[in-house]
Amino acid sequence: MVLVFEIDYVLVNTFQRAVYVFEIPNIRHLRVFLEVVECKSISKASERVFLSQPAITQAIAKLETALGASLFSRRSDGMYVSESGEVFALRVQRALDMVLEGLRGAVRLGGSKSQPAHLLQMLTTTQLRALIAVTEAHNFSIAGRNLGISQSSLHRAARELEALLGVVLFEKTSTGISSSKAARALARACKLAFSEISQGRDEVDALHNREVGQLVIGSMPLARTSLLPKAIIEFSRRFPDFRIRVNDGPYDDLLYHLRHGDIDLLLGALRFPVPADDVIQEELFSSPVEIVARPGHPLCSDRNVSLETLQKYPWVVPGKGTPTRAIFESTFTEAGLDVPSRLVETGSQILVRSLLMGSDRLTMISEHQIQHELSTGVFKTVPYEVEHAYRPIGISVRNNWKPTTTQSVFINLLNDTDHGVDLDDQ
């Protein structure tokens, strides 16, 4: 008998990246900017992008105003990219490469004969923002409110994009709007590209001593850890104006939002094999797993606890798919025993504590996760050594994520922090 307790999470608004004063520039202006960087001349760039020189000058001026920095040094013999311009150009190129890859995927999935490189020259940021908004909201009205524009404007931008690509992006259903595979592929690529451009803005700010970037961290639910607070405290001491956002949620949801650019890094128990080919993991340390119970539990004073005895007790365990659940089940099956049947499954540490304190239930949990309870006598370990029971704790990021210098400082602090931690297993 397995009782499953589910905790509901509202994630739609939680995982939307904060929108600040800086708006993603027009994608055409970004392309023009890169052409001027390469040509070192507005007149030569004008011939490549088929825009007038005044239009290019105006586009560059808008970018510089938005970034609060000069992107070029104007000389008599040409336009030479500044340090700020060089930093921003690297991010813009990465972003446009991401959009181009998304276009390739959308064209392939949608069966279109359009040329992705040509499409990239025709897109507008407004169209891409509309695509992302409708794909996430599954509703034009809600998407319009989220963007602060009218439903008709949003609908027009989305349909213009659909006509440009030559693929079906959205279809009406009984429950709202259904996004095609092509739409989802392009929307994901564009979200990652927009995040890349925002990081470019942050790096330009850092060059001018305006350290107001951000880092969005996905942390396991109820993570009362010394690892994350210590790193945040030390980081904030060095960079007091840098924004840090921590989002809690189940692992699968956090992983989804990591892969779609809503969060920058995921901190918690690692999964093996790696859950997706676009994600890489870095182990920080391994946490031993113990069997624990309430003080006064009959097994806490028994020095000859056997696996057969443990099998007879009721347990409270994390859900299937979590590292500790796998360790729990393999402990019995590898010994040729059936997994205990009287289980309560939950990801709530509060519920685990209450069930253990009020009954003879047992649980298997990371030693680091309950250091406080063990030191205060709330829990006691059962004298049975679980073999090969270590839970790797670490960082997961997108394999193409390039942290800013300041974000790298935070990651280094996580590596340097004392690993007496408390990370929930979700």
Side-chain angles (χ1 to χ4, degrees):
M1 176 180 67
V2 180
L3 302 180
V4 181
F5 288 77
E6 296 183 353
I7 307 296
D8 292 329
Y9 296 87
V10 179
L11 299 171
V12 174
N13 293 323
T14 303
F15 287 97
Q16 289 180 345
R17 293 189 77 101
V19 178
Y20 300 98
V21 175
F22 180 78
E23 291 287 342
I24 301 300
N26 190 311
I27 194 169
R28 291 174 178 172
H29 292 175
L30 296 175
R31 288 181 48 250
V32 165
F33 163 63
L34 291 183
E35 290 291 351
V36 177
V37 171
E38 183 177 346
C39 296
K40 299 182 176 63
S41 167
I42 288 180
S43 60
K44 291 180 180 178
S46 175
E47 297 172 359
R48 288 193 179 187
V49 297
F50 306 107
L51 279 179
S52 68
Q53 293 185 38
I56 293 178
T57 300
Q58 185 179 30
I60 297 299
K62 285 184 177 180
L63 280 178
E64 290 182 326
T65 299
L67 293 168
S70 295
L71 299 176
F72 296 95
S73 174
R74 279 81 169 170
R75 304 179 191 172
S76 58
D77 59 340
M79 300 269 288
Y80 291 86
V81 66
S82 66
E83 184 180 10
S84 295
E86 188 173 359
V87 166
F88 191 60
L90 289 174
R91 290 291 184 176
V92 170
Q93 187 61 65
R94 283 170 54 86
L96 294 185
D97 288 344
M98 291 174 183
V99 176
L100 182 59
E101 188 60 30
L103 286 169
R104 291 191 183 110
V107 166
R108 184 182 68 254
L109 292 168
S112 172
K113 296 182 180 180
S114 300
Q115 296 299 315
H118 176 69
L119 293 173
L120 184 61
Q121 301 175 23
M122 308 293 291
L123 293 173
T124 68
T125 300
T126 299
Q127 292 169 344
L128 299 184
R129 291 179 69 222
L131 169 70
I132 294 170
V134 178
T135 300
E136 292 186 337
H138 307 290
N139 181 285
F140 277 98
S141 178
I142 296 173
R145 289 199 298 270
N146 290 340
L147 289 181
I149 63 176
S150 68
Q151 181 177 344
S152 60
S153 297
L154 181 68
H155 194 278
R156 181 170 59 254
R159 294 309 179 192
E160 287 174 352
L161 178 60
E162 200 168 45
L164 177 64
L165 299 178
V167 302
V168 175
L169 297 177
F170 306 109
E171 292 181 334
K172 288 185 178 181
T173 68
S174 58
T175 58
I177 298 295
S178 173
S179 302
S180 67
K181 290 183 179 180
R184 294 194 295 272
L186 183 56
R188 177 172 178 266
C190 292
K191 286 183 67 176
L192 296 177
F194 287 177
S195 177
E196 194 74 22
I197 294 169
S198 293
Q199 285 188 291
R201 180 277 316 267
D202 293 344
E203 289 181 321
V204 171
D205 283 341
L207 286 176
H208 296 273
N209 298 315
R210 303 190 301 259
E211 201 62 71
V212 290
Q214 75 167 340
L215 180 67
V216 185
I217 303 167
S219 179
M220 303 307 171
L222 305 175
R224 297 189 309 273
T225 165
S226 63
L227 175 66
L228 193 53
K230 284 181 179 178
I232 291 175
I233 291 168
E234 175 59 24
F235 181 82
S236 298
R237 184 184 65 79
R238 301 186 196 181
F239 306 99
D241 296 323
F242 200 91
R243 297 177 295 266
I244 294 181
R245 298 176 58 215
V246 179
N247 291 329
D248 292 340
Y251 178 83
D252 288 343
D253 289 316
L254 291 173
L255 178 65
Y256 173 87
H257 290 287
L258 173 72
R259 298 180 64 209
H260 285 74
D262 299 308
I263 62 178
D264 298 311
L265 65 88
L266 174 56
L267 179 63
L270 303 181
R271 266 53 175 176
F272 296 97
V274 178
D277 58 9
D278 59 347
V279 171
I280 56 176
Q281 300 181 147
E282 177 188 353
E283 182 175 335
L284 297 176
F285 66 99
S286 290
S287 177
V289 172
E290 302 278 1
I291 298 174
V292 300
R294 63 175 176 82
H297 191 286
L299 294 183
C300 289
S301 57
D302 187 345
R303 295 300 171 185
N304 296 303
V305 177
S306 67
L307 202 54
E308 288 79 6
T309 300
L310 294 172
Q311 184 193 33
K312 297 175 182 178
Y313 275 85
W315 289 74
V316 53
V317 294
K320 285 186 175 295
T322 60
T324 301
R325 178 62 176 269
I327 294 172
F328 168 74
E329 293 184 350
S330 65
T331 297
F332 293 95
T333 58
E334 290 180 2
L337 297 176
D338 292 333
V339 176
S341 58
R342 292 183 293 165
L343 303 180
V344 171
E345 294 181 4
T346 182
S348 168
Q349 191 170 344
I350 296 174
L351 182 57
V352 171
R353 175 172 175 159
S354 298
L355 289 173
L356 263 60
M357 293 299 295
S359 70
D360 281 343
R361 285 188 181 272
L362 304 171
T363 194
M364 193 175 286
I365 196 167
S366 162
E367 181 184 85
H368 290 89
Q369 194 171 334
I370 54 167
Q371 282 183 341
H372 176 71
E373 284 84 354
L374 291 175
S375 64
T376 57
V378 175
F379 289 157
K380 291 194 66 175
T381 58
V382 173
Y384 182 89
E385 183 177 354
V386 183
E387 296 182 0
H388 312 298
Y390 287 88
R391 195 176 60 164
I393 305 299
I395 300 168
S396 301
V397 298
R398 297 183 299 277
N399 60 9
N400 64 348
W401 184 58
K402 186 178 184 297
T404 65
T405 301
T406 312
Q407 290 172 334
S408 295
V409 170
F410 186 87
I411 294 173
N412 290 336
L413 286 173
L414 289 174
N415 280 282
D416 295 340
T417 299
D418 173 30
H419 296 145
V421 304
D422 168 16
L423 283 167
D424 281 299
D425 187 347
Q426 297 302 312

